[in-house]
Amino acid sequence: MRNPVAQKHLRSVRKGDPVFYYHTGDEKSVVGIMKALGDAYPDPADRSGKLYSVDVGPVGKLKRPVTLAEIKADKRFAEMPLTRIPRLSVMPVTEAQWKAIEDMSQD
């Protein structure tokens, strides 16, 4: 991931942070929860020193996937970067948005 905005968000990830797992491609849905196993760190494969990585571990699958279409149709997500920039691979999620996605996965 070389997108500068995604990299900015990635650099802010800290150990223990919860992370949604989002499938791209045809599926386009939030399918699970992970957690950061450590703080973001410089990507050792990047010779420029500009790119960062983070190691994550699984927490669990959502009861059912929450699709991008569902998220875009819900006014609670109007300000969420995913609804405006769906190709952005790393973005902040507010506590209210997090809870809403978890609640939607229970339906």
Side-chain angles (χ1 to χ4, degrees):
M1 147 194 30
R2 297 188 179 281
N3 180 296
V5 176
Q7 280 291 313
K8 178 185 97 168
H9 296 311
L10 186 65
R11 283 191 292 276
S12 71
V13 174
R14 297 293 172 252
K15 182 178 181 177
D17 283 352
V19 178
F20 275 130
Y21 189 85
Y22 179 80
H23 276 186
T24 58
D26 291 338
E27 192 170 346
K28 292 185 179 73
S29 57
V30 180
V31 297
I33 298 173
M34 302 180 301
K35 71 175 178 178
L37 299 177
D39 293 350
Y41 58 90
D43 185 338
D46 175 43
R47 292 183 181 179
S48 75
K50 295 179 183 178
L51 302 180
Y52 274 64
S53 292
V54 68
D55 297 322
V56 295
V59 171
K61 290 172 65 173
L62 293 179
K63 188 171 181 181
R64 73 163 187 85
V66 178
T67 68
L68 177 59
E70 289 176 277
I71 293 169
K72 284 184 168 187
D74 192 316
K75 289 183 168 80
R76 295 177 291 182
F77 302 105
E79 298 301 315
M80 187 179 198
L82 185 63
T83 63
R84 297 177 287 115
I85 318 166
R87 294 186 51 91
L88 185 62
S89 56
V90 180
M91 65 194 68
V93 177
T94 67
E95 285 184 40
Q97 292 165 344
W98 186 280
K99 180 167 178 6
I101 289 172
E102 284 186 320
D103 290 348
M104 290 168 74
S105 77
Q106 298 300 315
D107 295 340

